[in-house]
């Protein structure tokens, strides 16, 4: 039963910077009754579990885990973060061979322990891993998807909110495409409140010029690189973003999020049919069934071109790792 957040179980694979942030976020937000953390590094997994469990008095959630995949048994949602992280200067696509191999070893364990779970891949390059995993393990695209541009969209909304001095929740803007260098914000449909972003004024002056929009796009695309240069990893914001997805699934929220799902011709606007078979972020309804339905957004011609180019770049990488 996935619709009762308090009676459910979350599995997290990988107890590194990201996996622990996902688990800790889920723990303090009380997203489930039980959280299981699994990592091949036994010492690390046990220490992280113990550290979280020591806070049990202040939460309503049991934390278990270790280096035995059995801990993932009967999870409702499993978030996969196992894998190598980007090193300074390395792109997400550079990680592909290492992390595809890890994904191929981890997913059979996850599927054996939790055959009905919704699986959210966070390990990068998350779009590529998702497309390969859906193809190789025959799981439905709705049930196995990636966090995609959920984090990137939060980064964008924060940047816009800082300039406009409004709450990020009042910024309605989404980053779509690859979770990586070819991603871009859908500026044509971005709004603050119900005002198109380019018409937002302060003291009679429009704040969001084409130059500012271009700077923000660059800022979002480079965001991870900047954080990694300073602290070696990004983890807190992805922990929150994954928590948002987990909550949407466990509470069957039907919230629209830019997760990355393998695209099907049935759901795509005919002008985007070239994206079929590629996992790429688009607005998607997320609920108990996972990434339930993709919603084709309105696009100006330039955005359509960028989306198709992003899809083509991803397809090339997916083809290169296909068995
Ligand atoms: P990390 O090195 O701190 O942790 C990775 C963990 O995975 C390690 O503890 C390692 O022991 C474990 N691991 C490796 N192989 C395993 C296996 N076969 N089974 C179980 N566990 C295994 O790395 P991190 O900083 O936590 O990053 C993890 C991944 O998340 C990276 O690929 C990174 O690029 C990605 N990431 C994605 C996003 C996103 O928005 N999608 C954001 C941040 C990071």
């Amino acid at each position: 039963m996935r619709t009762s957040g308090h009676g459910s179980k979350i599995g997290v694979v990988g107890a590194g910077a990201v996996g622990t942030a996902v688990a800790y976020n889920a723990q303090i937000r009380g997203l489930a009754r039980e959280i299981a953390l699994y990592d091949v590094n036994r010492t690390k997994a046990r220490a992280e579990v113990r550290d979280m469990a020591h806070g049990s008095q202040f939460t309503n959630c049991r934390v278990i885990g270790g280096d035995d995949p059995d801990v993932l048994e009967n999870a409702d949602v499993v978030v996969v973060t196992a894998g190598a992280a980007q090193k300074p200067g390395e792109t997400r696509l550079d990680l592909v061979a290492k992390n595809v191999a890890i994904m191929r070893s981890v997913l059979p364990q996850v599927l054996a322990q939790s055959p009905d779970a919704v699986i959210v891949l966070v390990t990068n390059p998350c779009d590529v891993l998702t497309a390969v995993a859906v193809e190789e393990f025959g799981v439905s695209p709705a049930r196995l998807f990636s966090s995609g541009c959920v984090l990137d969209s939060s980064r964008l909304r924060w940047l816009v909110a800082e300039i406009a001095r409004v709450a990020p929740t009042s910024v309605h803007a989404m980053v779509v495409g690859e979770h990586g260098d070819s991603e871009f914000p859908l500026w044509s449909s971005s709004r603050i409140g119900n005002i198109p972003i380019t018409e937002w004024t302060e003291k009679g002056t429009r704040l969001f010029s084409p130059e500012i929009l271009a700077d923000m796009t660059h800022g979002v695309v480079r965001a991870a690189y900047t954080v990694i240069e300073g602290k070696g990893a990004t983890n807190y914001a992805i922990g929150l973003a994954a928590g948002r997805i987990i909550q949407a699934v466990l509470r069957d929220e039907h919230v629209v999020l830019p997760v990355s799902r393998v695209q099907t011709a049935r759901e795509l606007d005919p002008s985007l049919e070239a994206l079929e078979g590629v996992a790429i972020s688009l607005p998607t309804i997320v609920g108990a069934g996972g990434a339930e339905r993709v919603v084709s957004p309105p696009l100006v011609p330039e955005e359509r071109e960028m989306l198709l180019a992003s899809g083509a770049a991803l397809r090339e990488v997916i083809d290169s790792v296909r068995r």
Side-chain angles (χ1 to χ4, degrees):
M1 172 80 172
R2 230 177 251 140
T3 51
S4 161
H6 296 296
S8 45
K9 173 169 175 177
I10 299 166
V12 179
V13 181
V18 174
T20 53
V22 172
Y24 183 55
N25 179 254
Q27 180 193 22
I28 59 180
R29 284 172 63 189
L31 292 182
R33 167 186 53 82
E34 189 166 87
I35 298 170
L37 196 54
Y38 161 63
D39 196 297
V40 284
N41 183 338
R42 178 190 177 93
T43 313
K44 168 92 165 135
R46 287 193 161 188
E48 294 291 1
V49 166
R50 192 152 292 195
D51 194 7
M52 275 183 254
H54 286 164
S56 297
Q57 179 195 337
F58 314 111
T59 67
N60 195 12
C61 173
R62 185 164 176 252
V63 184
I64 60 165
D67 64 338
D68 186 339
D70 286 5
V71 296
L72 301 171
E73 190 183 6
N74 285 331
D76 299 282
V77 183
V78 177
V79 180
V80 178
T81 75
Q86 264 170 287
K87 301 207 170 59
E90 199 176 35
T91 71
R92 293 184 183 98
L93 294 181
D94 290 336
L95 291 177
V96 69
K98 282 186 242 176
N99 286 350
V100 164
I102 290 176
M103 180 276 292
R104 282 180 176 141
S105 75
V106 160
L107 272 193
Q109 298 173 322
V110 172
L111 290 166
Q113 296 301 330
S114 298
D116 299 322
V118 166
I119 301 168
V120 183
L121 298 186
V122 170
T123 308
N124 279 320
C126 58
D127 307 289
V128 176
L129 263 54
T130 301
V132 174
V134 163
E135 198 174 292
E136 293 186 5
F137 295 99
V139 182
S140 83
R143 203 158 73 72
L144 198 170
F145 58 97
S146 136
S147 55
C149 290
V150 175
L151 167 61
D152 318 67
S153 297
S154 174
R155 286 172 172 153
L156 178 74
R157 288 165 72 143
W158 170 70
L159 286 173
V160 172
E162 287 289 302
I163 294 175
R165 287 184 289 163
V166 298
T169 48
S170 293
V171 178
H172 308 293
M174 234 177 228
V175 176
V176 296
E178 169 202 356
H179 169 64
D181 294 348
S182 64
E183 69 188 17
F184 61 97
L186 289 177
W187 289 128
S188 71
S189 49
S190 298
R191 283 176 162 57
I192 301 173
N194 66 342
I195 299 165
I197 191 162
T198 48
E199 289 172 32
W200 182 264
T201 57
E202 197 172 292
K203 294 183 185 147
T205 307
R206 290 190 178 189
L207 287 192
F208 295 97
S209 64
E211 293 73 30
I212 298 275
L213 296 185
D215 276 357
M216 280 192 292
T217 301
H218 186 69
V220 169
V221 174
R222 299 295 309 168
Y225 296 100
T226 317
V227 176
I228 289 168
E229 270 163 31
K231 58 174 265 193
T234 66
N235 63 329
Y236 296 124
I238 181 61
L240 288 161
R244 184 69 196 89
I245 298 168
I246 294 168
Q247 180 183 316
V249 173
L250 293 179
R251 300 186 188 165
D252 194 20
E253 284 186 354
H254 287 208
V255 67
V256 177
L257 294 170
V259 295
S260 174
R261 208 196 95 151
V262 170
Q263 302 298 326
T264 55
R266 190 167 45 84
E267 287 185 1
L268 285 171
D269 181 276
S271 68
L272 297 176
E273 263 178 17
L275 299 178
E276 190 181 6
V278 173
I280 192 164
S281 290
L282 283 172
T284 306
I285 299 170
V286 182
E292 293 178 0
R293 185 164 77 83
V294 178
V295 193
S296 287
L299 300 168
V300 296
E302 191 194 0
E303 291 168 340
R304 191 179 312 281
E305 257 172 53
M306 288 168 77
L307 189 58
L308 292 172
S310 189
L314 281 170
R315 190 185 292 285
E316 210 170 292
V317 185
I318 294 164
D319 287 347
S320 75
V321 290
R322 202 176 251 132
R323 284 209 269 234

